[in-house]
Amino acid sequence: EVQLLESGGGLEQPGGSLRLSCAVSGFTFSSYAMSWVRQAPGKGLEWVSTISGNGDTTYYADSVRGRFTVSRDNSKNTLYLQMNSLGAEDTATYYCAKDIRVTASEIYFEYWGQGTLVTVSS
Amino acid sequence: DIQMTQSPSTLSASVGDRVTITCRASQSLTSGLAWYQQKPGKAPNLLIYWASTLQSGVPSRFSGSGSATEFSLTISGLQPDDFATYYCQQYKSYPVTFGQGTKVEIK
């Protein structure tokens, strides 16, 4: 059974940093690209970032480029999102999602975690 | 960036109805489009990919069609479990973009 479990969310002050983790099981982690998608309270879905299966290729939304960094540790079956210079606009539930191929191209999201809430407020 | 526009934003329907949600892309996607269902407090669930391929385990009352810039999701015989919000997503190019969502409500 495929499982994705996010952690690391919480309340952070504007300008602060958080690192989200997504621990996965039930599939060969290194064989699939992985993504982060977020959803602000009461709003729609927003793609954040994608990383290829070997970690060599990454993509970012303009809204987070230069502030967020996606990475993965294939030996630990874990995906990460380092979030710096947080602002109120980053308040959202962050989902990790399993893509359907190893490359980060033409990706859609086959499995999702339950999400972790990030709140940025003073 | 490719903009995705869904219509309607809200749809009121009854159990047993046939409902159709439309998604329009600002550029041709060929058929790189997926549909998701999301219920309150839950993660989205993949329904359809490549515009018309049903994800394993998804009931056959869901179907997708379209190409280029016009796509649709149809639910044939709405069930109580289908009242939710539906999103389209293009994956032809980065940045990946979603439609704004269509909430299917009980009439």
Side-chain angles (χ1 to χ4, degrees):
Chain A
E1 179 189 6
V2 172
Q3 292 191 337
L4 298 86
L5 184 62
E6 303 95 337
S7 60
L11 176 63
E12 183 56 59
Q13 293 189 338
S17 298
L18 279 175
R19 187 175 86 153
L20 306 183
S21 299
C22 174
V24 314
S25 61
F27 64 97
T28 304
F29 184 57
S30 59
S31 294
Y32 295 93
M34 296 291 295
S35 295
W36 290 96
V37 177
R38 68 184 180 182
Q39 186 170 37
K43 302 299 183 181
L45 301 170
E46 180 188 15
W47 169 78
V48 173
S49 182
T50 296
I51 185 169
S52 61
N54 64 7
D56 284 356
T57 304
T58 57
Y59 295 92
Y60 296 94
D62 286 346
S63 58
V64 307
R65 185 176 292 113
R67 300 188 299 121
F68 290 12
T69 302
V70 63
S71 62
R72 62 193 297 160
D73 186 335
N74 286 346
S75 68
K76 295 183 178 179
N77 288 351
T78 303
L79 174 72
Y80 302 101
L81 186 67
Q82 178 67 43
M83 305 187 296
N84 299 331
S85 302
L86 286 164
E89 69 278 9
D90 298 314
T91 293
T93 295
Y94 285 74
Y95 296 100
C96 67
K98 172 187 176 292
D99 302 330
I100 52 83
R101 66 186 83 221
V102 65
T103 59
S105 62
E106 295 184 325
I107 55 101
Y108 53 90
F109 311 114
E110 186 181 20
Y111 292 98
W112 299 64
Q114 87 292 344
T116 187
L117 179 62
V118 171
T119 303
V120 184
S121 175
S122 54
Chain B
D1 297 3
I2 299 176
Q3 308 302 318
M4 305 300 294
T5 304
Q6 282 182 238
S7 61
S9 296
T10 305
L11 188 160
S12 296
S14 301
V15 172
D17 285 352
R18 175 186 174 96
V19 302
T20 297
I21 300 167
T22 298
C23 183
R24 180 176 292 112
S26 60
Q27 303 173 29
S28 177
L29 308 180
T30 312
S31 57
L33 183 109
W35 289 96
Y36 301 87
Q37 176 194 68
Q38 187 179 33
K39 297 179 180 179
K42 300 295 186 181
N45 180 49
L46 176 66
L47 298 175
I48 285 169
Y49 56 95
W50 291 118
S52 61
T53 302
L54 197 65
Q55 171 70 349
S56 176
V58 174
S60 58
R61 62 181 179 271
F62 292 91
S63 63
S65 64
S67 63
T69 61
E70 296 282 336
F71 301 87
S72 63
L73 172 71
T74 298
I75 310 172
S76 301
L78 201 63
Q79 296 300 301
D81 192 48
D82 301 337
F83 291 97
T85 300
Y86 294 84
Y87 294 92
C88 62
Q89 175 230 325
Q90 69 80 18
Y91 51 91
K92 182 179 190 294
S93 65
Y94 282 100
V96 168
T97 46
F98 291 88
Q100 79 279 15
T102 295
K103 185 176 183 179
V104 177
E105 299 181 326
I106 300 174
K107 191 172 184 178

